[in-house]
């Protein structure tokens, strides 16, 4: 769920609760990441065109949990500040319903510590802190609004 406002090339993108699930080849365990809230600056290359490429940069707060593959009760969990960088492509901007494709890289500025699954939302995590790499998201989304101007196409 989110909100976008744009005036000329620059805009603001704010959203709540984006969820990422998965793992990687180097760390094939189950992983869960949620961006609780985020606020980003948006820069559109062609603000009045029907289709445009845009960039995003900002900050947010998030939580992460990773199953380290050692069995039940050996999860790693943490929460805190994170940075966001992204690029997107928006189409149908002259219509009420808009469509966008976006790739976003989330860089956590917090680490994870050993925790029981039941303690994921507990602040009393124990053990040494471990850092983890960026979270890459590929999204397809839509939004609706009343067009404020007549976009020109290509």
């Amino acid at each position: 769920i989110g909100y976008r406002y744009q005036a000329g090339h620059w805009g603001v993108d704010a959203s709540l609760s984006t969820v990422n699930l998965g793992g990687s080849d180097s760390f094939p365990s189950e992983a869960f990441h949620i961006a609780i809230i985020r606020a980003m600056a948006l820069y559109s290359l062609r603000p009045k065109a029907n289709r445009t490429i845009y960039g995003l940069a900002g900050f947010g707060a998030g939580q992460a949990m990773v199953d380290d593959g050692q069995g039940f009760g050996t999860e790693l969990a943490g929460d805190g500040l994170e940075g966001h960088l992204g690029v997107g492509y928006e189409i149908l901007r002259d219509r009420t319903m808009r469509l966008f494709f976006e790739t976003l890289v989330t860089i956590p500025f917090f680490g994870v510590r050993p925790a029981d699954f039941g303690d994921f939302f507990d602040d009393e995590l124990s053990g040494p802190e471990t850092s983890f790499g960026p979270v890459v998201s590929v999204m397809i989304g839509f939004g609706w609004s009343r067009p404020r101007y007549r976009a020109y196409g290509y």
Side-chain angles (χ1 to χ4, degrees), residues 12-140:
V12 175
D13 180 296
S15 60
L16 300 170
S17 299
T18 54
V19 178
N20 297 293
L21 303 171
S24 69
D25 291 337
S26 61
F27 195 49
S29 63
E30 295 179 15
F32 171 84
H33 172 264
I34 181 168
I36 300 167
I37 187 169
R38 66 180 180 203
M40 297 183 286
L42 179 144
Y43 182 81
S44 178
L45 293 180
R46 297 181 348 192
K48 292 190 177 185
N50 191 29
R51 302 174 207 165
T52 188
I53 295 173
Y54 59 89
L56 297 160
F59 293 96
Q63 292 182 325
M65 185 183 76
V66 179
D67 180 359
D68 65 4
Q70 302 294 319
F72 184 76
T74 56
E75 289 82 10
L76 303 171
D79 58 17
L81 181 67
E82 49 196 22
H84 304 283
L85 293 171
V87 64
Y89 184 67
E90 187 176 14
I91 62 175
L92 305 174
R93 299 183 74 211
D94 63 344
R95 309 265 165 78
T96 303
M97 184 79 82
R98 298 172 174 211
L99 183 65
F100 65 89
F101 307 90
E102 194 171 283
T103 300
L104 190 67
V105 177
T106 301
I107 303 160
F109 299 128
F110 59 89
V112 291
R113 296 175 184 237
D116 291 330
F117 184 77
D119 292 339
F120 178 56
F121 295 103
D122 192 355
D123 290 334
E124 300 298 323
L125 303 177
S126 61
E129 188 171 88
T130 304
S131 61
F132 65 99
V135 176
V136 178
S137 306
V138 177
M139 297 176 269
I140 298 173

